[in-house]
Amino acid sequence: MNFQPTQLNERVTTIDMIRGFSLLGILLVNIFGFYLPQPYIMLQDWFTEAIDIMWHQALDIYVQSSFYPLFSMLFGYGLAMQYMKAQRVGTNFYKFAPKRLLILFVIGMLHALLLWWGDIIAMYAFCGLFVIALMRKNSGVLLIIALILQLLMHSLYILLFSMQGILNAEMTETAVDIQKVQNAITAYATGGYIDAFMQRLQDLSMQMSFFMWFSSLFMILPFMLMGAAAAKWRLIERAKELKGLWITLAIVATAVGLFIKSAPTTFSYTYLLYYVKVYVGGPILSVGYIAIFVVLCFVPAIVKVLSPLAKIGRMSMTMYILQSVICTTIFYNYGFGLYGKIDVPTAVYIALGIFVVQVIVAELWLSKFKQGPLEAAVKKLTYRKMYSEK
């Protein structure tokens, strides 16, 4: 029996909507990497103006570290949905899933090399291989493996902090390599495309170092496994049946996540609180965000109002790459040359403006076509021929 990619009438609108929302969060996080030498600085130490500090703190609480777990869960959820569909139609999932991940990996590497050093697609594809290797396990086993990986990471970091005697110490300003910062500013703010390309290779040596690939197995893979477990339980598809669970998660996870993420600012900026904020509070808040959208989708009128988010979510890979095209054009010298020349509020307004434009573009594109151009290309390469969405 032939396996076909997900048809339009099979799509889960809530998932597309959450995916669209996550694109906004990802852009708000990534915007700093587009106009600042982020691989070589700590943002909380970089800003000196009160308004920049205030806006960055707000983003740090509500956005930073909460959207990569969210997108990772969605990625795992999607892989599990494909696996279960393949089982239903009698197709071998492993005949096409590794190929699709390889294609995503190539797209991610091309994105990183040709456009922007901060690509995440390649690392998601890498972690996805481990997800599909474990996909035959039931939901409980997937969840246990995810929790064990997280526990190992948390235990190791807390042990290292304790051994260094800094667990409850106030965080100090991180040392900055001035030469590397200056090199990045020079290449992106005053150089041409070749200068930016050469600098991007330097940035990638950090972004895609062996440590980053290895650490992704503890920072990204667990959330993919959680998403896969949730998909096997069909938690989103059975949302109305599980209304009490989702309402509880929306309230509790959001409140707990925001409390933990606010803790360093509210109490004391210790190494422990900073770590817990990023690696515990961030993922908890991401669950809260997912739950809020699931609950909102209980109301048909709200689903209609938020439908543009579902449209952009249906072509999320195209829109993710498009964000890099737009932002590098705005900030790099071979474009409008705004690198390092704007404040945080302006960066946020630019990100919001880009997202609004993308929502409009998605609406117009999907009024003419069934899927985004990159999504169509990946499906064609994966399944050999194009399939109708209807």
Side-chain angles (χ1 to χ4, degrees), residues 353-370:
I354 291 170
F355 188 74
V356 170
V357 170
Q358 288 191 296
V359 169
I360 296 171
V361 169
E363 189 75 33
L364 293 173
W365 182 274
L366 292 176
S367 69
K368 300 290 185 181
F369 304 97
K370 310 296 187 196

Side-chain angles (χ1 to χ4, degrees), residues 243-262:
K243 186 178 291 187
L245 169 66
W246 282 115
I247 292 174
T248 300
L249 284 175
I251 296 170
V252 175
T254 302
V256 171
L258 288 175
F259 175 78
I260 293 174
K261 293 191 73 179
S262 303

Side-chain angles (χ1 to χ4, degrees), residues 18-19 22 25-26 29 62-77 120 124 150 153-154 216 218-228 230 261 276-290:
I18 298 169
R19 191 176 286 118
S22 71
I26 288 169
V29 171
Y62 290 98
V63 181
Q64 184 69 41
S65 76
S66 291
F67 281 86
Y68 82 85
L70 192 158
F71 213 76
S72 300
M73 291 180 207
L74 291 177
F75 194 91
Y77 205 104
I120 196 63
Y124 274 40
Q150 281 279 282
M153 184 183 79
H154 296 328
S216 70
F218 300 88
M219 296 173 60
I220 294 175
L221 176 59
F223 301 116
M224 288 187 178
L225 293 173
M226 291 177 190
K261 293 191 73 179
V276 172
K277 177 197 78 170
V278 174
Y279 297 109
V280 178
I284 290 175
L285 183 58
S286 70
V287 172
Y289 285 153
I290 291 172

Side-chain angles (χ1 to χ4, degrees), residues 178-234:
I178 300 298
Q179 187 59 56
K180 288 184 178 180
V181 170
Q182 189 57 52
N183 289 343
I185 293 173
T186 300
Y188 295 130
T190 66
Y193 180 82
I194 298 301
D195 299 299
F197 175 78
M198 298 306 296
Q199 179 60 42
R200 194 154 49 245
L201 295 180
Q202 292 295 316
D203 298 342
L204 283 173
S205 68
M206 295 184 63
Q207 174 70 5
M208 294 190 174
S209 65
F210 173 79
F211 174 76
M212 292 299 289
W213 291 106
F214 179 73
S215 63
S216 70
L217 299 179
F218 300 88
M219 296 173 60
I220 294 175
L221 176 59
F223 301 116
M224 288 187 178
L225 293 173
M226 291 177 190
K232 287 194 167 189
W233 278 317
R234 302 182 70 249

